Amino acid sequence: MSIQVSPMPIPNPDEVSLKSALTDRDPYLTELLNQCQGLSIQLLLEPESISWIQELRDRAAAWVRQCILPTTKDEEWRFTDMSFLKQLTFRALPQRLELAASAVAPLTLSEAAHSRLVFVDGVYAPTLSSVASLPDELVISNLAGLPLAYRSRVRDYLATAQGAAEVFTALNTSGLIDVAVVWVPKHLIVETPIHLLFISTASGTPTISQPRCLVVAESGSSVTLIEDYLNQANIESPEEGEAEVGEAVYFTNAVTEICLEAGAQVNHTRIERESPAAFHIGKSAITQARNSRYTCNAITLGAKLSRHNLEVFQHGEQTETTLNGLVTINSQQTTDTHSVIALNYPHGTSTQLHKCIIADQAHAVFNGKILVPQSAQLTNAGQLNRNLLLSPRARVDTKPQLEITADNVKCTHGATISQLDKEEVFYLQSRGLDATAAHNLLINAFATEIINKLPVASLRQTLIAAVSHQHL
Amino acid sequence: MIVEKAQVVLSVRELTAEVEGTPILKGVNLEVKAGEIHAIMGPNGSGKSTFSKVLAGHPAYEVTGGEVRFLGQNLLELEPEERARAGLFLAFQYPMEIPGVSNLDFLRVAYNSRRKQQGLEEMDSFDFDELVREKLEVVRMNPAFLSRSVNEGFSGGEKKRNEILQMALLAPKLGILDETDSGLDIDALKIVAQGVNQLASPENAMILITHYQRLLNYIVPDFVHVMADGRIIDSGSKELALELESHGYDWVLEQAATEVGTR
Ligand SMILES: Nc1ncnc2c1ncn2[C@@H]1O[C@H](COP(=O)(O)OP(=O)(O)OP(=O)(O)O)[C@@H](O)[C@H]1O
Ligand SMILES: [Mg+2]
């Protein structure tokens, strides 16, 4: 079975109404949808934009009403049981907690002190955001802050990526209230990394929030993005107070679309460090025009259950795609990474290294699909999935999925599952490291290969510390 | 050098050990005092590496009998890292490659764990950098090796030099060198031998496991032992190594057999 990356756009409402008998098939999903739709667009936008967004939402909602939540009977969700989700009722809250700048400070990056957009529960927080150090030509803001011309240009990009009909993506669109927009004009090279920080304030009642990003890198431009998901409790007590963090039950359903035009370069880091009881479903939909270069560093540390759908569609010749992934989980966490790279044109290359560290009874899933149709001659695709199991009850399900019909291509793939090497541990012990220190050094070494690829030094340090802390 | 009334560093009595139920060491006896250099020779598979790894505390080997005292302590009770911190160092015949761990970080962590044991403060990266560069001189190693992963992609000889570098940093009371000379070119052999000689002092001791007299031209042993079938069957002065070189092991094995026979 193949991943359903449906090229199908979301059907328009008229078509949908014809099939009304088939709507509201999944009461749980309908309730989730009603919650999300209950949040209205409270942005100061001209009526034209508002009605366009409303239309987009309605169309997506009508589609969601025809869907059901995936179960383990779906090939794409075979190893990831979403039934946990259904045990909880999530509410979309219209009001968000006001966060003080001082409270958010520990989570900001010194390298991006004035190149940051902050969204709290999916709502733009202008007082916590600052873009002062970014070039004036760069367009970066929420929807309402966009220059008028861009508000209409956004329509050509938002919710247009392939795979928009996937149920969680459509759910996000159906409740769209705002968008973090980064628009890099032609030939602009943005050196300063941009931090897109999505904070959940959930603590008591389970809540859902649906962050949304749109990144357009025009031809010849270059930008570095850090998309970051976490809970406010991480801020208040990043060191101790884990019990408190553990109680925050919420659902983040995020969608990011990134469009690279000819010759553009995007270095995209995505960090999921939600609270341990959270649910996180994230979509990264990337469209690459010719000669563009896209790099993703996806780091997954948090959430009880998380899923990352990383989908890259090459829309021109000679594109370069690099996907680096690190999953590091413990206790009862489940993390599922489903990636798709569709190499549709000649001379494309893709390199993927996905690494998982799995402790306790945690469970990692990796499904790496690479499509090389007849049209994609002279492409070069490499994929490697390496898993480090730290306990006998840790589990990994890994599946490379290469669908190659072109004949003149070079494709390699591999998956390894290993434990800490006893001989390596002994070697370290024989030099005076105790067993814990030896384990730590080896686990960090495994993680560092990916973490070192991150473009921001302070983040590398934070993450290495987080990995050590997690597997102590 | 043999020192009058020197402290006993290592004392092994009737040591037996097995791996997965197969006996390998069948009653090893050895006493090493401060200042001494001992050489252990012997045919392939006779148990030399096993002996060294048992001393270092490798978990794959089970000690089934005998006693080992290191600086007066019961060595067999200690965890491998405790043995290291107490001053036992094994330069491995086949040093491990550890991808992703920088050699410099590894050396620093190892060095600091020894310092902690000695009740000293940890050394910061800056001072350690200086120290390690100084020690690099001992084995004439290129500083570029510091930023690489531990032993990863090192040539055989480079790995051996890295072992001696570690020994130089950790300044052990007992250094056990398991075939450190194998795989070294002539120049490297001299460098390593000089390094070892530089580290040898009246306060510490060395055990060299080797197949070749060549190493012993550079590091002159006070005692030479022959191990065969899990036992030390003959011990002598440095001349024993020369005799082995010209007559081979059969000679000493036969002698041992007749000795047993005439008893
Ligand atoms: N982990 C192990 N599992 C099974 N057999 C082992 C193991 N370690 C050692 N042996 C066996 O024990 C015997 C002694 O091996 P050891 O490596 O100690 O010999 P050695 O004297 O160091 O030989 P060489 O001169 O070739 O290095 C050999 O027969 C070897 O195959
Ligand atoms: Mg050996």
Side-chain angles (χ1 to χ4, degrees), chain A residues 334-347:
Chain A
T334 296
T335 286
D336 182 340
T337 302
H338 265 63
S339 66
V340 181
I341 305 172
L343 294 136
N344 295 317
Y345 290 80
H347 300 287

Side-chain angles (χ1 to χ4, degrees), chain B residues 19-20 24 42-51 60-61 93 179 211:
Chain B
V19 59
E20 286 160 12
I24 313 278
N44 293 131
S46 56
K48 303 181 297 297
S49 293
T50 302
F51 179 51
Y61 302 91
Q93 184 173 2
E179 295 201 25
H211 286 294

Side-chain angles (χ1 to χ4, degrees), chain A residues 37-263:
Chain A
Q37 283 222 293
L39 294 185
S40 53
I41 318 150
Q42 287 173 327
L43 302 174
L44 288 172
L45 287 172
E46 60 291 344
E48 203 192 334
S49 289
I50 297 270
S51 67
W52 175 75
I53 297 170
Q54 196 56 54
E55 209 175 287
L56 185 69
R57 284 172 49 134
D58 291 345
R59 204 159 57 223
W63 173 247
V64 171
R65 286 184 197 285
Q66 295 185 62
C67 300
I68 55 168
L69 277 188
T71 69
T72 49
K73 293 201 181 85
D74 290 276
E75 186 61 24
E76 291 315 309
W77 291 85
R78 196 145 73 91
F79 299 111
T80 305
D81 188 358
M82 292 296 291
S83 59
F84 290 119
L85 192 73
K86 290 198 176 189
Q87 290 164 13
L88 295 160
T89 308
F90 293 97
R91 297 154 123 300
L93 295 182
Q95 278 189 330
R96 63 181 173 86
L97 227 73
E98 283 291 340
L99 290 179
S102 60
V104 176
L107 289 169
T108 59
L109 304 170
S110 56
E111 295 88 340
H114 297 288
S115 54
R116 175 179 74 235
L117 293 185
V118 179
F119 284 71
V120 178
D121 297 326
V123 178
Y124 180 52
T127 55
L128 303 176
S129 305
S130 167
V131 294
S133 68
L134 289 167
D136 293 340
E137 306 92 295
L138 181 75
V139 176
I140 174 167
S141 85
N142 71 327
L143 271 182
L146 287 180
L148 204 57
Y150 284 90
R151 285 188 213 161
S152 53
R153 291 184 73 185
V154 156
R155 297 179 201 172
D156 298 333
Y157 293 88
L158 193 65
T160 60
Q162 234 168 297
E166 184 268 325
V167 58
F168 290 103
T169 310
L171 182 67
N172 179 293
T173 308
S174 69
L176 189 141
I177 48 171
D178 204 348
V179 182
V181 180
V182 179
W183 198 301
V184 198
K186 271 192 186 116
H187 304 299
L188 181 66
I189 310 291
V190 184
E191 306 275 2
T192 315
I194 296 170
H195 192 196
L196 302 173
L197 183 56
F198 296 92
I199 304 172
S200 159
T201 62
S203 57
T205 22
T207 52
I208 176 169
S209 75
Q210 305 203 95
R212 183 95 187 195
C213 303
L214 174 68
V215 178
V216 179
E218 288 189 6
S219 59
S221 69
S222 165
V223 69
T224 300
L225 302 166
I226 295 141
E227 196 185 338
D228 199 356
Y229 296 91
L230 40 78
N231 187 269
Q232 164 225 1
N234 300 29
I235 317 172
E236 283 169 353
S237 46
E239 293 304 319
E240 8 80 65
E242 253 169 71
E244 196 192 329
V245 181
E247 281 156 23
V249 180
Y250 58 97
F251 178 15
T252 304
N253 180 34
V255 174
T256 294
E257 291 170 275
I258 301 178
C259 177
L260 293 87
E261 303 198 325

